[in-house]
């Protein structure tokens, strides 16, 4: 069995790094050099070493289990490319919204998209930049205004074991949602 997974989030949160870290095939990256055209638009405040950006998508593949292959599609993070998200999300089993807790404002568009504009189930993963959890997970949940039923996990996008676990968390979440949707209502109408 195979499934499509979306990796979404704001500019510079680690989507390309996540796909690269876990893909069993050489990932396809549609990277372009950052240019003067992005000055004043792309926030490089905490990404001084970032020299390229995704302009269409990242693509990778992982055999998560012997009977489950995941095709990973990383979205571009800049607002000028958000029009691609509908096409990339079509037919997806689920999505990971990757966030940088140092720049939560970069996360709101992706969260809004999956909460309101999409039917794709999602989880939120806080990327531990430099291996650190910069803020308490409960504080991040509150700051993002996440509903209690939306899983919030942490990961290091550079580490394949960590990103593999986030993918497993997403699959478990989507399967649980599917099972609960299939259960008949057992409440009495009294």
């Amino acid at each position: 069995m195979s499934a499509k997974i979306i990796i979404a989030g704001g500019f510079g949160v680690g989507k390309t790094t996540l796909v690269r870290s876990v893909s069993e095939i050489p990932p396809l990256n549609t990277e372009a050099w950052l240019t003067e055209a992005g000055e004043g638009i792309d926030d490089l405040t905490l990404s001084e070493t970032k020299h390229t950006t995704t302009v269409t998508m990242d693509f990778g593949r992982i055999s998560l289990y012997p009977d489950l292959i995941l095709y990973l599609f990383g979205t571009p993070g800049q607002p000028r490319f958000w029009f691609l998200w509908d096409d990339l999300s079509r037919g997806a089993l689920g999505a990971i919204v990757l966030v940088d807790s140092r720049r939560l404002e970069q996360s709101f568009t992706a969260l809004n998209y999956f909460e309101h504009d999409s039917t794709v189930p999602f989880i939120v993963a806080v990327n531990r930049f430099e291996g650190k959890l910069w803020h308490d997970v409960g504080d991040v949940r509150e700051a993002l205004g996440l509903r209690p039923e939306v899983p919030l996990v942490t990961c290091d996008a550079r580490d394949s074991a960590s990103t593999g676990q986030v993918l497993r968390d997403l699959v478990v979440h989507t399967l649980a949602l599917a099972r609960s949707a299939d259960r008949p209502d057992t409440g009495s109408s009294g």
Side-chain angles (χ1 to χ4, degrees):
M1 181 172 109
S2 65
K4 179 180 185 180
I5 302 295
I6 302 300
I7 313 299
F11 175 74
V13 299
K15 299 175 302 292
T16 298
T17 302
L18 187 150
V19 172
R20 283 182 184 155
S21 77
V22 77
S23 183
E24 300 166 338
I25 61 170
L28 167 68
N29 301 115
T30 56
E31 295 278 293
W33 288 102
L34 290 170
T35 65
E36 290 178 8
E39 285 182 18
I41 298 171
D42 299 331
D43 180 10
L44 295 172
T45 305
L46 295 170
S47 305
E48 292 86 12
T49 60
K50 186 172 178 65
H51 301 290
T52 61
T53 187
T54 302
V55 294
T56 305
M57 68 171 184
D58 297 313
F59 175 79
R61 185 191 78 205
I62 179 173
S63 300
L64 194 61
Y65 300 109
D67 60 345
L68 179 60
I69 296 171
L70 299 180
Y71 294 98
L72 309 175
F73 291 81
T75 66
Q78 304 94 319
R80 62 188 175 274
F81 298 118
W82 289 340
F83 69 93
L84 297 168
W85 288 21
D86 285 336
D87 289 334
L88 289 173
S89 295
R90 192 170 291 117
L93 173 72
I96 296 167
V97 175
L98 192 62
V99 302
D100 178 349
S101 66
R102 302 169 303 168
R103 302 179 298 160
L104 288 178
E105 70 280 359
Q106 293 284 332
S107 308
F108 292 119
T109 300
L111 286 171
N112 186 57
Y113 178 81
F114 287 101
E115 286 181 330
H116 304 292
D117 300 333
S118 174
T119 59
V120 175
F122 71 98
I123 67 171
V124 176
V126 177
N127 190 1
R128 294 188 311 261
F129 278 88
E130 300 172 23
K132 297 179 187 176
L133 186 58
W134 291 87
H135 297 92
D136 178 75
V137 173
D139 292 341
V140 172
R141 176 178 287 284
E142 185 177 335
L144 294 175
L146 290 180
R147 297 184 317 265
E149 65 272 14
V150 176
L152 177 63
V153 298
T154 67
C155 72
D156 183 334
R158 303 166 300 175
D159 180 59
S160 62
S162 181
T163 55
Q165 183 58 51
V166 172
L167 291 166
R168 284 187 284 284
D169 292 341
L170 175 62
V171 170
V172 166
H173 176 64
T174 58
L175 290 175
L177 289 175
R179 278 194 289 276
S180 68
D182 288 343
R183 283 191 201 123
D185 185 6
T186 58
S188 61
S189 56

